[in-house]
Amino acid sequence: MIFIGICGASGSGKSTLAQSLADALGDRCYVLQQDCYYRDHSHLPFEERMLLNYDEPSIFDHDGLLADVQALLDGQPITRKGYNYAEHRRDDSQELIYPPDVLILEGIHCFHDPRLLELMYLKLYMNVDADICLLRRIERDIIERGRTIDNISDQYRRTVRPMFEQYIRNYINLADVIVARGGKNARIVEILAGYVSDELHKRSSNA
């Protein structure tokens, strides 16, 4: 299996690039979202869950994510993890995910855990202007996650921007490839898909 990580700021196009690359590679590729591994805080009242810092590294279950990735690399299926953004709670299921030929992990802190980094064959960092990221985040959160502009603005000032400055911007130094212009960069998708396909072919020929 080829394991690829895609990191970058919120709204930088990680999900778009991951899905575009998966579409180019077909059924042999699966996209895993780090957001699905937020720690479960369903025991807290909704008002308290809203105030949690969802942009700091410790908000994620890194051990659980590592265990699932390792299981897939070892040829074992995992159960699908999920997250309900509107209610700020985990939304896992018992649906099984079987090991693909290519596994893509995308998330704001997917380069944070050195144990996970060691398993990645290719590390991509989305380098997009902060203003563009904010505009994309506003549009996404209103349409897909049921947020209000006041809520988005408060969260951006309180956690999103500070955590980017403290952590996420520095992940660029861990990347193998820096991707400009966001996830709709058709040329980089074509190049990456060709590169990964060639590597899969080499591995199957040497098996």
Side-chain angles (χ1 to χ4, degrees):
M1 180 191 300
I2 294 177
F3 179 34
I4 300 171
I6 303 179
C7 191
S10 176
S12 61
K14 300 181 299 297
S15 298
T16 300
L17 178 63
Q19 191 56 57
S20 296
L21 185 54
D23 290 342
L25 293 170
D27 294 340
R28 54 188 174 172
C29 182
Y30 183 80
V31 177
L32 201 61
Q33 296 177 323
Q34 188 181 32
D35 282 5
C36 293
Y37 290 83
Y38 276 124
R39 296 187 187 279
D40 186 25
H41 294 96
S42 57
H43 60 286
L44 297 176
F46 177 75
E47 290 74 17
E48 291 186 31
R49 298 201 300 270
M50 286 183 62
L51 297 176
L52 293 173
N53 185 346
Y54 290 95
D55 296 276
E56 65 172 343
S58 64
I59 198 72
F60 293 101
D61 179 8
H62 296 284
D63 289 341
L65 174 57
L66 177 67
D68 276 358
V69 169
Q70 189 63 67
L72 291 172
L73 289 170
D74 291 341
Q76 303 297 319
I78 63 172
T79 55
R80 183 185 297 274
K81 308 303 186 295
Y83 191 76
N84 186 315
Y85 295 98
E87 299 182 15
H88 298 288
R89 62 173 178 81
R90 285 286 288 267
D91 190 20
D92 300 347
S93 75
Q94 294 304 307
E95 179 185 353
L96 290 179
I97 298 171
Y98 292 91
D101 292 332
V102 180
L103 177 65
I104 300 175
L105 172 66
E106 61 94 357
I108 59 173
H109 289 297
C110 71
F111 289 177
H112 180 76
D113 189 341
R115 301 171 299 174
L116 207 57
L117 276 176
E118 289 183 4
L119 300 175
M120 292 179 185
Y121 174 75
L122 188 62
K123 298 179 288 292
L124 312 176
Y125 183 89
M126 309 298 294
N127 191 24
V128 178
D129 186 81
D131 291 340
I132 300 299
C133 292
L134 176 57
L135 291 173
R136 290 174 178 170
R137 181 185 176 92
I138 291 172
E139 181 178 6
R140 180 201 66 194
D141 283 5
I142 290 176
I143 295 175
E144 300 179 11
R145 301 182 180 179
R147 306 282 172 80
T148 66
I149 190 66
D150 288 341
N151 174 260
I152 297 168
S153 176
D154 174 69
Q155 187 179 20
Y156 184 81
R157 290 195 300 266
R158 182 169 50 87
T159 66
V160 176
R161 185 68 184 184
M163 294 299 98
F164 172 78
E165 295 294 339
Q166 184 174 350
Y167 295 106
I168 300 167
R169 68 183 305 170
N170 298 317
Y171 294 143
I172 193 171
N173 299 315
L174 301 172
D176 300 309
V177 178
I178 298 171
V179 180
R181 305 206 318 271
K184 295 183 179 180
N185 189 330
R187 181 60 57 85
I188 195 66
V189 171
E190 180 182 352
I191 292 171
L192 290 171
Y195 176 72
V196 173
S197 295
D198 286 346
E199 179 62 22
L200 286 174
H201 179 72
K202 290 177 184 176
R203 294 188 182 190
S204 63
S205 299
N206 295 330

